[in-house]
Amino acid sequence: MRAHLAFAAGLLLTASIAQANQIGPISAYYVADGDASKFCKIQGTSFSCFNEVGDQDVIAVLSNSVEMMGRVGSNGAQYTLSGSPTGITYPAVGGYPDDGTTDNTNSYYLDWPNNNVYETGLNWSNPTFLFHVGSGNGAIGIAYDPTNGSFWTSDLSDGHIYDYSRTG
């Protein structure tokens, strides 16, 4: 009897894990693939990709829109949460912005390869230098942490994730 209960418990646990793996993110999760000129929305088991208007790779998701920053001379653009361009565009910023985030008051981006973090308006306007990311030379990801107002960055060159205050 004990072996049957252990087997049944194992099956139940396996089924629960399998179902959890199939659920995917509960909230919408957006990722950009600038090289393919697409961005994608992942939610639950649904995966949808949308064509970008130009070469855009830096993404920030607001409560009612997706804001894409232009790279290397290409304008940025605003999209609905379902991936349709709204017709609103933004001029490109200089350098090579590699990733972006927002606190819903401002947007922020990480410029590669100089590893500088900039603050902008929600439409990517008026970039202001915030701080230099002191990790290796491969800082490629940034996320805003609303629990303490800090920024998490990932570094491709050393494989680490770092937590920085607004002043670096």
Side-chain angles (χ1 to χ4, degrees), residues 18-19 21 27 46 63 67 92 98 101 114 131 137 143 148 156 159:
Q19 285 180 338
N21 287 339
S27 298
S46 172
S63 58
E67 311 295 324
D98 205 46
T101 189
N114 64 23
F131 60 90
N137 191 29
N148 62 8
L156 185 62

Side-chain angles (χ1 to χ4, degrees), residues 33-160:
D33 182 354
D35 294 337
S37 294
K38 294 189 178 297
F39 72 98
C40 301
K41 176 183 175 182
I42 306 163
Q43 187 169 14
T45 58
S46 172
F47 183 86
S48 304
C49 288
F50 315 100
N51 292 323
E52 297 173 3
V53 178
D55 180 18
Q56 301 151 1
D57 202 24
V58 178
I59 190 169
V61 180
L62 304 178
S63 58
N64 60 357
S65 64
V66 176
E67 311 295 324
M68 301 286 290
M69 176 189 279
R71 295 178 61 161
V72 193
S74 181
N75 285 338
Q78 181 186 69
Y79 300 85
T80 65
L81 295 177
S82 59
S84 299
T86 66
I88 296 173
T89 60
Y90 314 117
V93 298
Y96 293 92
D98 205 46
D99 195 16
T101 189
T102 185
D103 61 8
N104 286 315
T105 301
N106 294 297
S107 290
Y108 306 88
Y109 71 92
L110 180 61
D111 194 33
W112 179 89
N114 64 23
N115 293 349
N116 291 331
V117 174
Y118 293 88
E119 176 183 84
T120 71
L122 290 176
N123 61 357
W124 304 111
S125 62
N126 303 316
T128 303
F129 173 81
L130 279 186
F131 60 90
H132 177 76
V133 175
S135 56
N137 191 29
I140 60 165
I142 187 167
Y144 174 73
D145 186 344
T147 63
N148 62 8
S150 70
F151 297 94
W152 292 87
T153 66
S154 60
D155 192 300
L156 185 62
S157 65
D158 65 13
H160 290 96

